[in-house]
Amino acid sequence: ETGVTQTPRHLVMGMTNKKSLKCEQHLGHNAMYWYKQSAKKPLELMFVYNFKEQTENNSVPSRFSPECPNSSHLFLHLHTLQPEDSALYLCASSQEGGIRGQETQYFGPGTRLLVL
Amino acid sequence: GIQVEQSPPDLILQEGANSTLRCNFSDSVNNLQWFHQNPWGQLINLFYIPSGTKQNGRLSATTVATERYSLLYISSSQTTDSGVYFCAVESGSGNTGKLIFGQGTTLQVKP
């Protein structure tokens, strides 16, 4: 247990569906992250939120829409995805999003997404 | 941007053996972390080590920042050590929490 939970753990969706991934952290952190891990590729940072404000968008397509209503919750809304978007989506949190540098990130278990 | 290279890409060990995993990076860093990803996908932070040496049980890590590499040592390996080991860094010029991950070393420990 890392103190970061994600739901659902597995998701199968069609290209016309709309779904949302949820992440919750119980560590009192102020920064949250979405990463994508595709087969045979390193983890890619998608979004960073610090104190509920988006501070990093790593050129992510608009079919991925993040939402951070408070420092403990992070969502990733999905719509009109493509089969190549199938991947493991990981959420992480850290104390202050690197503002002071030298931070440890804690990861959730991930959502394994399959787009048909 | 900063490049991160890990070696070897794959490693097979007999239980009880020792191993060294390497991470090279192309620029100065203010954050370097080692992670272990188990077969179910869970990433666990092993070390935060932008410089110096740390030990935690059978694992230890050393980062030589001036030479831009880090090493992860696993001693007396166990089957539960199997999985993928990632090195991740944030460049010294950044303060955003933006970690760049290497490709990982996939370790299999056989009983």
Side-chain angles (χ1 to χ4, degrees), chain A residues 2 33 35 37 40-43 45 48 56 58 88 90 97-105 107-109 112, chain B residues 30-31 33 35 37 39-45 47-48 50 86 90 94-104:
Chain A
T2 62
Y33 311 77
Y35 288 86
Q37 186 178 25
K40 307 295 183 183
K41 293 177 73 174
L43 274 80
L45 179 68
V48 181
E56 189 81 24
N58 201 23
L88 180 67
L90 291 157
I99 292 173
R100 299 184 185 180
Q102 308 179 7
E103 286 199 338
T104 298
Q105 292 186 19
F107 282 78
R112 204 165 289 278
Chain B
N30 65 5
N31 188 343
Q33 297 177 43
F35 294 90
Q37 187 172 39
W40 297 272
Q42 177 70 64
L43 271 162
I44 299 296
N45 183 282
F47 294 103
Y48 164 78
F86 289 103
E90 180 177 7
N95 249 343
T96 61
K98 183 176 178 179
L99 287 178
I100 306 300
F101 280 74
Q103 294 267 15

Side-chain angles (χ1 to χ4, degrees), chain B residues 29-78:
Chain B
V29 298
N30 65 5
N31 188 343
L32 187 148
Q33 297 177 43
W34 282 98
F35 294 90
H36 174 227
Q37 187 172 39
N38 67 23
W40 297 272
Q42 177 70 64
L43 271 162
I44 299 296
N45 183 282
L46 299 175
F47 294 103
Y48 164 78
I49 188 165
S51 63
T53 297
K54 290 186 179 180
Q55 180 157 7
N56 185 2
R58 296 181 297 102
L59 302 181
S60 63
T62 294
T63 298
V64 184
T66 52
E67 297 187 22
R68 298 182 182 171
Y69 73 88
S70 183
L71 302 174
L72 178 69
Y73 305 97
I74 304 174
S75 63
S76 304
S77 58
Q78 301 176 358

Side-chain angles (χ1 to χ4, degrees), chain B residues 2 12 14-15 21 27 34-36 54 56 67 80 87 100 107 109-111:
Chain B
I2 191 168
I12 300 175
Q14 206 64 38
E15 198 168 29
L21 283 57
D27 202 351
W34 282 98
F35 294 90
H36 174 227
K54 290 186 179 180
N56 185 2
E67 297 187 22
T80 51
C87 167
I100 306 300
L107 173 65
V109 180
K110 293 187 172 182

Side-chain angles (χ1 to χ4, degrees), chain A residues 36-110:
Chain A
K36 176 183 179 182
Q37 186 178 25
S38 304
K40 307 295 183 183
K41 293 177 73 174
L43 274 80
E44 302 171 73
L45 179 68
M46 300 174 73
F47 301 104
V48 181
Y49 277 81
N50 277 303
F51 296 92
K52 304 187 296 180
E53 299 297 320
Q54 188 181 119
T55 56
E56 189 81 24
N57 177 335
N58 201 23
S59 303
V60 180
S62 60
R63 57 186 184 271
F64 295 91
S65 175
E67 179 190 0
C68 188
N70 55 60
S71 293
S72 300
H73 293 85
L74 184 65
F75 295 88
L76 188 63
H77 303 299
L78 316 171
H79 63 99
T80 59
L81 293 192
Q82 305 298 311
E84 58 264 30
D85 296 322
S86 299
L88 180 67
Y89 289 85
L90 291 157
C91 173
S93 72
S94 69
Q95 187 61 46
E96 289 184 11
I99 292 173
R100 299 184 185 180
Q102 308 179 7
E103 286 199 338
T104 298
Q105 292 186 19
Y106 296 85
F107 282 78

